[in-house]
């Protein structure tokens, strides 16, 4: 079973690759971006970190087609950097 990791910084990028928002995972590894400014194609990327590295890719692509939507299960797997 996977365990959530606290303190991982995640970037929200728009379809132009511009940083729209940033958030940090909570003590259970959950995260949330508030007030995404518009609909469209977005990417969530694990920000560079000295303690953890992504295992299989550092980003996830997704589409927001309408407002006031919750998207779940966009998860990353990370490992401790030795």
């Amino acid at each position: 079973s996977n365990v959530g990791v606290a303190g991982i910084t995640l970037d929200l990028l728009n379809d132009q690759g511009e940083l729209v928002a940033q958030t940090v995972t909570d003590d259970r590894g959950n995260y949330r971006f508030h007030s995404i400014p518009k609909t469209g194609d977005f990417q969530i990327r694990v920000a560079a970190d000295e303690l953890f590295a992504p295992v299989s890719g550092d980003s996830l692509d997704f589409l927001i087609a309408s407002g006031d939507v919750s998207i779940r299960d966009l998860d990353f797997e990370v490992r401790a950097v030795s």
Side-chain angles (χ1 to χ4, degrees), residues 53-57 76-79:
V55 171
S56 59
F76 292 92
E77 187 176 350
V78 296
R79 64 173 169 72

Side-chain angles (χ1 to χ4, degrees), residues 20-77:
V20 174
Q22 196 171 58
T23 193
V24 177
T25 57
D26 65 17
D27 59 342
R28 296 188 324 200
N30 297 319
Y31 63 93
R32 179 179 297 209
F33 290 101
H34 297 279
S35 302
I36 296 174
K38 62 178 185 171
T39 60
D41 293 314
F42 290 89
Q43 183 178 75
I44 299 174
R45 176 181 66 196
V46 177
D49 189 291
E50 296 175 2
L51 300 176
F52 294 97
V55 171
S56 59
D58 67 348
S59 64
L60 296 170
D61 297 326
F62 66 99
L63 171 68
I64 296 179
S66 64
D68 198 28
V69 173
S70 293
I71 300 172
R72 300 184 183 275
D73 299 323
L74 293 176
D75 298 329
F76 292 92
E77 187 176 350

Side-chain angles (χ1 to χ4, degrees), residues 9-28:
T9 301
L10 300 169
D11 297 332
L12 178 66
L13 308 172
N14 65 16
D15 61 351
Q16 302 297 311
E18 300 166 328
L19 182 66
V20 174
Q22 196 171 58
T23 193
V24 177
T25 57
D26 65 17
D27 59 342
R28 296 188 324 200

